[in-house]
Amino acid sequence: MTVTRGPLAGCRILELGGIGPGPFAGMLLADLGAEVVRVDRPGRADEPDAGGPADVLDRGKRSVALDLKDPAATGVLLQLVERADVLIEGFRPGVTERLGIGPHDCLARNPRLVYGRMTGWGQEGPLAAAAGHDITYIAVTGALGAIGDAAGPPQIPLNLVGDFGGGGCYLVIGVLAALHSATRTGRGQVVDASIVDGTAHLLASTFAKLARDEWSDERGVNRFDGGWPFYAVYETKDGRHVAVGALERKFYRSLVELLGLDVDPDRQHDRSTWPRLRELLATRFAERTRDEWAELFEGTDACVAPVLSLTEAAAHPHLAARGSLFTRDGVVQPAAAPRFSATPSSAGRTAPAVGADTRAVFRDWGVRSPDPT
């Protein structure tokens, strides 16, 4: 049996195999010390991303292979449900109900169960049954439309804002809150986590600024979207970039002094000066390479940082000192986050092959069926 540490040690979680935000949530819960058992369909074993060092989202988990279209296998799953604290799934609404493993079926077997549901559109609403991806979910919330240059199209922020920020992280938040409630009341519940809800929630500060007329409902003209010249990205002599975030007066003053700009730092928020200021900044940053600027600004309060590639990030001195990223079996991946003083979290073992732990999990959890596949 896998022995785990962390604040969720002793918590048993079933993750019905899926993609994107669901597996990310399972990884995060495993990093926090929970025993996460991923229930995979047997056919997934033939997929190239299933198990092994590069399957980062499945690290720290154990894998059980079950064909949930087989009634015998769903019976086995319900046995596991009786012994679990949490179940998370990422199917379209109604799928688990048709399989006989929906919330009603599972809570009947285990009233304390937290049943976490991860979808793009949510369990109800006009689009609940529609297909979608991160880009479509963040599009309708206004998030995508707010990101990018004023003169260009919206820029896709990878799938960080929707799948993982508004999706997987909010599923984890919901699960942990429901676990706390179940501990106090003895009653489980369903957590309906949708990417559109989570992404809209992430926009709380932006909507507040919009209501106070501190944000214009257009792209590339605002404080955090590159519209302000002292909170923007600039190209350097070598074709790379630096990020400038000198919002506060003292940080802006430090920026101006270190760059030797002929501007009055007290007129930072005089918008009539911004076109010239942006030109001055662009011209000055183009005079040196990214790394030369990084050396100059290192340790200052000017809030300037080099824009690194993913492969460069692991070698950055600060990230390296904290161990924010680490390499295992040749794969760079994030360390467990956040950190705890008394119950340290950690990145679990390399993702197992599909079904590798089936018999061991059945033995450890006391499941009767010897061969569910």
Side-chain angles (χ1 to χ4, degrees), residues 51-339:
D55 188 2
V56 174
L57 294 187
D58 284 335
R59 74 183 185 195
K61 304 174 186 178
R62 296 203 282 178
S63 173
V64 165
L66 287 173
D67 181 2
L68 296 178
K69 295 180 180 179
D70 180 350
T74 60
V76 172
L77 180 69
L78 289 172
Q79 289 186 59
L80 292 168
V81 164
E82 292 175 356
R83 297 154 174 81
D85 300 295
V86 178
L87 180 147
I88 58 177
E89 58 95 357
F91 299 117
R92 289 200 204 188
V95 170
T96 58
E97 284 85 350
R98 290 194 294 273
L99 293 172
I101 52 174
H104 177 78
D105 307 287
C106 291
L107 287 166
R109 301 288 286 264
N110 180 357
R112 296 176 60 91
L113 182 74
V114 172
Y115 196 106
R117 317 195 80 171
M118 182 76 259
T119 60
W121 302 111
Q123 295 298 313
E124 56 188 23
L127 294 175
H133 272 298
D134 177 288
I135 192 170
T136 54
Y137 306 137
I138 68 172
V140 302
T141 64
L144 180 59
I147 300 172
D149 294 333
Q155 295 297 304
I156 305 168
L158 305 183
N159 57 341
L160 300 178
V161 174
D163 279 351
F164 301 122
C169 283
Y170 274 84
L171 176 60
V172 170
I173 292 168
V175 163
L176 295 180
L179 271 175
H180 177 69
S181 176
T183 299
R184 291 187 298 106
T185 67
R187 297 191 304 274
Q189 60 183 301
V190 179
V191 177
D192 176 6
S194 78
I195 294 173
V196 290
D197 292 348
T199 302
H201 199 260
L202 288 172
L203 288 166
S205 175
T206 306
F207 278 115
K209 291 180 176 63
L210 187 64
R212 295 193 298 264
D213 291 327
E214 296 174 3
W215 191 273
S216 177
D217 197 10
E218 55 184 307
R219 193 166 48 253
V221 298
N222 297 289
R223 182 185 307 180
F224 297 123
D225 61 7
W228 292 16
F230 39 86
Y231 195 93
V233 174
Y234 292 93
E235 187 172 351
T236 55
K237 183 178 181 179
D238 53 351
R240 297 179 178 180
H241 297 85
V242 292
V244 178
L247 285 177
E248 291 79 3
R249 182 182 298 275
K250 63 180 180 180
F251 300 155
Y252 178 69
R253 183 178 292 275
S254 177
L255 173 71
V256 168
E257 291 175 353
L258 286 166
L259 290 176
L261 297 182
D262 181 20
V263 298
D264 181 358
D266 291 330
R267 296 182 66 188
Q268 176 183 5
H269 293 286
D270 181 349
R271 290 175 179 261
S272 69
T273 69
W274 285 6
R276 177 175 177 267
L277 174 61
R278 191 179 294 273
E279 290 180 4
L280 288 173
L281 288 168
T283 299
R284 184 56 51 86
F285 280 118
E287 293 174 356
R288 301 186 189 182
T289 68
R290 182 198 67 180
D291 292 345
E292 287 173 338
W293 286 121
E295 183 178 358
L296 174 68
F297 285 104
E298 181 76 23
T300 73
D301 283 345
C303 298
V304 176
V307 177
L308 303 181
S309 70
L310 291 171
T311 52
E312 290 176 314
H316 188 274
H318 185 79
L319 272 65
R322 287 186 58 81
S324 302
L325 296 166
F326 71 98
T327 302
R328 181 166 62 193
D329 297 323
V331 176
V332 178
Q333 56 193 286
R339 305 180 184 199

